[in-house]
């Protein structure tokens, strides 16, 4: 995220005013949207998708009129992305409420099993990235260094967060790949 301006300048030469901010918001929005995929799959597997689709789509459609109103009121263009991000968060809670009640799963169990495991994998690498960007001058070398260090930290955080079964599965997969080669 910190090297967005440098990377965009390679591509666009002249980076328009809000481009870096838009890219950063879209990355965050994409992360939030990716959390919805597992809920959608469970809902489709359950079979009764009418209620889920109605509420999810109705709520997500609010982005259009609310964005229009924010721009009409003279708010900055980034307000559109903030609105989309907020609506995505609320839509995720609607998805969770609908699907978990169908499959009789406790919301606190879901939040602990999914979100509490994801938070360190998001927060720690972001902190590392921002720290490195604060110390280093933006450019090719800092982008490569930042990517390497952040990925190492991310892999470590993910490994620590795996359950015994998951880490055993990963070890077995790595061993089977190494044995084949």
């Amino acid at each position: 995220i910190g090297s967005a301006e440098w990377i965009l300048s390679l591509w666009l030469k002249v980076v328009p005013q809000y481009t870096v901010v838009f890219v950063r918001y879209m990355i965050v929005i994409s992360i939030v949207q990716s959390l919805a995929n597992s809920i959608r799959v469970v809902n489709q597997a359950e079979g009764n998708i009418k209620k889920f689709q109605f509420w999810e789509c109705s709520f997500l459609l609010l982005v259009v009129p609310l964005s229009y109103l924010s721009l009409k009121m003279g708010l900055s263009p980034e307000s559109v992305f903030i609105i989309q991000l907020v609506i995505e968060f609320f839509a995720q809670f609607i998805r969770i409420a609908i699907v978990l009640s169908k499959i009789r799963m406790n919301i606190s169990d879901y939040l602990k099993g999914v979100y509490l495991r994801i938070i360190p994998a998001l927060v720690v690498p972001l902190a590392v990235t921002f720290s490195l960007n604060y110390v280093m001058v933006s450019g090719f070398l800092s982008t490569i260094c930042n990517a390497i260090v952040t990925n190492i930290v991310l892999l470590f955080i993910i490994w620590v967060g795996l359950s015994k079964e998951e880490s055993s599965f990963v070890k077995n997969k790595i061993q089977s790949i190494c044995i084949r080669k």
Side-chain angles (χ1 to χ4, degrees), residues 102-165:
K102 285 181 182 181
I103 63 171
R104 294 180 182 89
M105 183 177 190
N106 187 331
I107 290 178
S108 65
D109 290 340
Y110 177 80
L111 295 177
K112 280 189 252 175
V114 175
Y115 286 94
L116 285 182
R117 292 178 71 189
I118 290 172
I119 289 172
L122 288 173
V123 173
V124 174
L126 280 175
V128 169
T129 298
F130 287 127
S131 299
L132 288 173
N133 285 330
Y134 183 74
V135 174
M136 300 175 82
V137 177
S138 184
F140 176 75
L141 188 59
S142 67
T143 301
I144 298 301
C145 178
N146 199 333
I148 291 169
V149 171
T150 303
N151 280 303
I152 290 170
V153 169
L154 180 59
L155 286 172
F156 176 75
I157 294 294
I158 290 171
W159 184 259
V160 169
L162 293 177
S163 68
K164 288 180 184 178
E165 296 83 19

Side-chain angles (χ1 to χ4, degrees), residues 1-162:
I1 293 177
S3 302
E5 188 169 358
W6 180 77
I7 292 169
L8 286 168
S9 70
L10 288 176
W11 179 36
L12 299 174
K13 303 297 181 218
V14 177
V15 180
Q17 182 181 3
Y18 290 101
T19 308
V20 174
V21 175
F22 290 172
V23 166
R24 290 178 178 160
Y25 275 117
M26 285 310 302
I27 290 170
V28 174
I29 289 167
S30 295
I31 291 169
V32 174
Q33 288 174 338
S34 72
L35 293 172
N37 292 337
S38 60
I39 293 289
R40 285 187 187 111
V41 168
V42 170
N43 184 64
Q44 289 173 349
E46 191 273 334
N48 187 1
I49 64 172
K50 183 177 172 181
K51 178 180 176 184
F52 180 90
Q53 287 294 311
F54 173 79
W55 286 106
E56 180 188 38
C57 294
S58 298
F59 201 75
L60 290 175
L61 279 173
L62 288 175
V63 171
V64 176
L66 292 177
S67 296
Y68 176 79
L69 286 174
S70 73
L71 295 173
K72 201 73 167 156
M73 292 181 346
L75 296 175
S76 71
E78 63 189 275
S79 66
V80 172
F81 291 93
I82 294 168
I83 289 167
Q84 184 177 0
L85 182 59
V86 169
I87 287 178
E88 282 292 340
F89 272 118
F90 283 113
Q92 184 64 2
F93 288 111
I94 289 170
R95 293 177 193 117
I96 290 169
I98 292 170
V99 172
L100 295 186
S101 67
K102 285 181 182 181
I103 63 171
R104 294 180 182 89
M105 183 177 190
N106 187 331
I107 290 178
S108 65
D109 290 340
Y110 177 80
L111 295 177
K112 280 189 252 175
V114 175
Y115 286 94
L116 285 182
R117 292 178 71 189
I118 290 172
I119 289 172
L122 288 173
V123 173
V124 174
L126 280 175
V128 169
T129 298
F130 287 127
S131 299
L132 288 173
N133 285 330
Y134 183 74
V135 174
M136 300 175 82
V137 177
S138 184
F140 176 75
L141 188 59
S142 67
T143 301
I144 298 301
C145 178
N146 199 333
I148 291 169
V149 171
T150 303
N151 280 303
I152 290 170
V153 169
L154 180 59
L155 286 172
F156 176 75
I157 294 294
I158 290 171
W159 184 259
V160 169
L162 293 177

